């Protein structure tokens, strides 16, 4: 992502909110004491702002209770400091959702997301507020592999900002971006119980599948699954295969999740031009993780990691696995058989690491490719991660660690 591209995102946000009309949700009947559900009032405020071609939907100081609601284009959801917006946990509030798209196709979800947006432009969610998904009843009611409602859900949207809010206790994914581009996530915090402490898995912090021009900065993620997950799946009839590309993740802290920053395992449409820099990971299962497998296909290339501190990593510090099957034993299999290459064969190449330091319980560096398509051209400079098991390489080519090629 170029500096010009990032600046363009900020300019778009400023132009959206500079002279917008303000719609206080309490003027539409919202209860700021949190005793009564304000779903209808919030929806009315959003609809009115949309009818007037956009504006600021404001939550003044207080506590609010709500069911799910939908955002519209040119809307800023503005929270005053110390606002708490808590969501109802009644499953009847979150029925299966089927959305009719402009081309006549439909998009379906098993549950309505808490806050959703379909094919919108110029949306901002901002303020030092707590957004509480009330996820505990969902985790107990529908443990894995069951689906649950997602928290912030954007589909095929453009120019999205989420800034400063604290997202807590999401039933499932915290932020889900599908076919969405030009997204700024700034100064937010995400917290769910770690899955090895409480039954809160599948609560990915930031999940992108696929997205473009995503800028994540100054965020804190402490959750029960991957802190940041970047995928690029098969595509659909409307959008086709859309790579995940032009991603910048910086100046952020990741705690407790399965992977601090994970790429894959859905890689069919390809992932490229991704930079992660100036971050601290503490207590995640893995630090920097690229995972895929046969059948998922896709080219993963031009990935850059700079100035990362990894502390108390529970498994591998840096891991690349083209044999991912969800088990640690499968990842360490040395006797991988050769199969013919086709368009479902993954290809991982041109990965750069510089200034990676810290410690991990298992291998500091773990790379496993395929005999028919080895992991190619991985260079690590100023790499100093201490571990009990050293490094593990299998089916690789041109791996250089601190200037020395690994044979």
């Amino acid at each position: 992502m170029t500096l010009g591209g990032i600046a363009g995102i900020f300019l778009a946000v400023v132009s959206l909110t500079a002279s917008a009309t303000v719609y206080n949700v309490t003027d539409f009947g919202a209860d700021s004491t949190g005793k009564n559900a304000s779903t209808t009032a919030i929806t009315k405020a959003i609809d009115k702002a949309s009818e007037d071609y956009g504006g600021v939907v404001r939550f003044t100081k207080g506590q609010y209770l709500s069911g799910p609601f939908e955002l519209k284009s040119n809307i800023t959801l503005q929270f005053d400091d110390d606002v708490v917006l808590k969501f109802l946990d009644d499953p009847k509030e979150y029925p299966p959702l089927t959305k009719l798209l402009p081309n006549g196709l439909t998009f379906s979800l098993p549950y309505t997301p808490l806050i959703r947006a379909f094919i919108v432009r110029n949306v901002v969610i901002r303020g030092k507020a707590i957004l509480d998904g009330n996820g505990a009843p969902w985790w107990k009611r529908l443990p894995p592999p069951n689906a649950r409602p997602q928290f912030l859900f954007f589909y095929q949207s453009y120019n999205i900002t989420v800034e400063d809010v604290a997202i807590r206790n999401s039933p499932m994914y915290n932020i889900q971006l599908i076919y969405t581009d030009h997204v700024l996530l700034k100064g937010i915090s995400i917290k769910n119980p770690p899955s090895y402490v409480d039954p809160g898995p599948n609560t990915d912090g930031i999940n992108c599948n696929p997205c473009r021009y995503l800028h994540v900065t100054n965020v804190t993620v402490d959750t029960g699954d991957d802190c940041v997950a970047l995928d690029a799946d098969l595509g659909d009839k409307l959008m086709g295969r859309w790579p995940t590309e032009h991603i910048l993740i910086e100046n952020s802290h990741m705690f407790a999740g399965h992977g601090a920053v994970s790429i894959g395992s859905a890689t069919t449409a390809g992932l490229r031009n991704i930079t992660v820099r100036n971050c601290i990971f503490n207590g995640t299962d893995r630090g920097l993780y690229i995972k895929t497998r046969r059948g998922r296909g896709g080219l993963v290339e031009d990935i850059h990691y700079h100035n990362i501190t990894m502390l108390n990593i529970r498994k591998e510090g840096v891991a690349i696995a083209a044999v991912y099957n969800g088990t640690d034993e499968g990842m360490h299999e040395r006797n991988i058989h050769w199969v013919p290459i086709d368009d479902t064969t993954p290809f991982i190449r041109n990965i750069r690491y510089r200034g990676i330091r810290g410690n991990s319980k298992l291998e500091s560096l773990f790379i496993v490719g395929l005999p028919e398509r080895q992991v190619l051209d991985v260079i690590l400079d100023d790499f100093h991660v201490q571990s009990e098991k050293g490094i593990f390489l299998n089916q690789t080519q041109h791996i250089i660690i601190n200037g020395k090629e690994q044979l």
Side-chain angles (χ1 to χ4, degrees):
M1 179 183 290
T2 66
L3 291 176
I6 295 173
I9 294 175
F10 286 108
L11 288 172
V13 171
V14 171
S15 65
L16 175 65
T17 60
S19 59
T21 303
V22 176
Y23 302 82
N24 287 321
V25 295
T26 52
D27 293 340
F28 292 82
D31 180 4
S32 62
T33 70
K35 295 178 180 178
N36 301 295
S38 297
T39 316
T40 300
I42 295 168
T43 299
K44 286 181 178 179
I46 292 170
D47 288 346
K48 177 58 177 172
S50 179
E51 290 171 8
D52 295 343
Y53 305 103
V56 175
V57 175
R58 182 184 175 193
F59 290 73
T60 54
K61 188 173 181 178
Q63 298 190 24
Y64 300 84
L65 187 64
S66 181
F69 56 85
E70 184 166 354
L71 300 175
K72 305 291 181 66
S73 290
N74 304 313
I75 296 293
T76 292
L77 214 59
Q78 178 70 50
F79 297 96
D80 285 3
D81 290 354
D82 301 320
V83 164
V84 177
L85 173 60
K86 189 170 185 177
F87 284 83
L88 300 163
D89 69 350
D90 184 352
K92 295 178 181 178
E93 296 282 338
Y94 307 88
L97 177 66
T98 297
K99 195 75 173 180
L100 182 64
L101 302 175
N103 68 342
L105 298 176
T106 57
F107 181 87
S108 297
L109 290 167
Y111 292 94
T112 300
L114 280 58
I115 300 176
R116 64 191 186 275
F118 286 86
I119 316 180
V120 301
R121 300 172 65 88
N122 307 327
V123 167
V124 178
I125 300 173
R126 165 183 292 146
K128 295 181 179 179
I130 295 174
L131 310 183
D132 189 338
N134 203 7
W138 288 101
W139 306 329
K140 294 175 182 178
R141 186 187 300 125
L142 293 169
N146 292 290
R148 292 165 247 136
Q150 300 175 45
F151 206 134
L152 298 181
F153 179 90
F154 292 91
Y155 179 86
Q156 200 184 324
S157 296
Y158 176 87
N159 197 22
I160 307 300
T161 294
V162 183
E163 185 175 4
D164 292 337
V165 296
I167 301 171
R168 301 287 182 264
N169 302 314
S170 176
M172 201 168 169
Y173 302 155
N174 288 264
I175 299 177
Q176 172 77 313
L177 308 169
I178 299 179
Y179 293 118
T180 293
D181 69 81
H182 289 81
V183 179
L184 173 64
L185 306 177
K186 180 182 179 184
I188 66 175
S189 68
I190 294 171
K191 186 172 179 59
N192 296 277
S195 61
Y196 52 81
V197 174
D198 206 15
N202 300 121
T203 52
D204 291 32
I206 299 163
N207 197 318
C208 159
N209 187 16
C211 60
R212 295 173 176 163
Y213 297 101
L214 168 65
H215 184 196
V216 177
T217 182
N218 292 297
V219 307
T220 301
V221 184
D222 185 351
T223 192
D225 211 302
D226 289 329
C227 295
V228 178
L230 305 175
D231 288 288
D233 219 333
L234 287 168
D236 62 24
K237 294 179 181 178
L238 175 62
M239 300 297 292
R241 290 191 178 184
W242 217 57
T244 287
E245 59 186 349
H246 312 310
I247 311 296
L248 174 60
I249 300 165
E250 62 179 348
N251 305 323
S252 295
H253 290 69
M254 315 295 179
F255 300 92
H258 291 179
V261 177
S262 295
I263 293 176
S265 63
T267 59
T268 306
L271 300 100
R272 61 196 180 212
N273 193 17
I274 296 168
T275 297
V276 183
R277 66 189 185 192
N278 305 330
C279 292
I280 297 174
F281 308 153
N282 194 336
T284 59
D285 279 2
R286 293 180 171 92
L288 299 168
Y289 192 17
I290 299 173
K291 53 184 176 179
T292 184
R293 64 173 183 263
R294 292 180 181 126
R296 309 226 80 167
L299 175 61
V300 179
E301 65 175 347
D302 298 331
I303 315 297
H304 303 267
Y305 304 103
H306 306 312
N307 191 26
I308 307 293
T309 298
M310 301 189 295
L311 304 173
N312 308 309
I313 303 302
R314 298 163 61 86
K315 295 183 180 179
E316 300 87 9
V318 171
I320 300 174
V323 294
Y324 173 77
N325 68 355
T327 70
D328 292 344
E329 294 79 8
M331 286 175 58
H332 285 76
E333 174 60 52
R334 286 187 177 272
N335 300 315
I336 306 168
H337 64 281
W338 181 93
V339 301
I341 291 174
D342 60 24
D343 63 359
T344 71
T345 306
F347 190 14
I348 303 170
R349 68 183 184 190
N350 299 337
I351 315 297
R352 301 289 184 267
Y353 303 83
R354 186 178 72 244
I356 313 298
R357 299 177 175 84
N359 60 81
S360 62
K361 180 72 173 177
L362 301 182
E363 290 87 356
S364 59
L365 174 65
F366 174 95
I367 306 177
V368 178
L370 299 169
E372 68 272 18
R373 186 167 270 171
Q374 297 181 333
V375 174
L376 174 64
D377 194 18
V378 177
I379 299 177
L380 304 96
D381 291 320
D382 191 15
F383 179 78
H384 301 283
V385 177
Q386 303 298 316
S387 72
E388 298 179 9
K389 292 196 172 185
I391 66 174
F392 181 99
L393 303 177
N394 187 17
Q395 302 297 341
T396 63
Q397 184 178 352
H398 195 228
I399 311 299
I400 299 176
I401 303 175
N402 295 332
K404 183 177 181 180
E405 183 163 6
Q406 308 298 301
L407 302 176

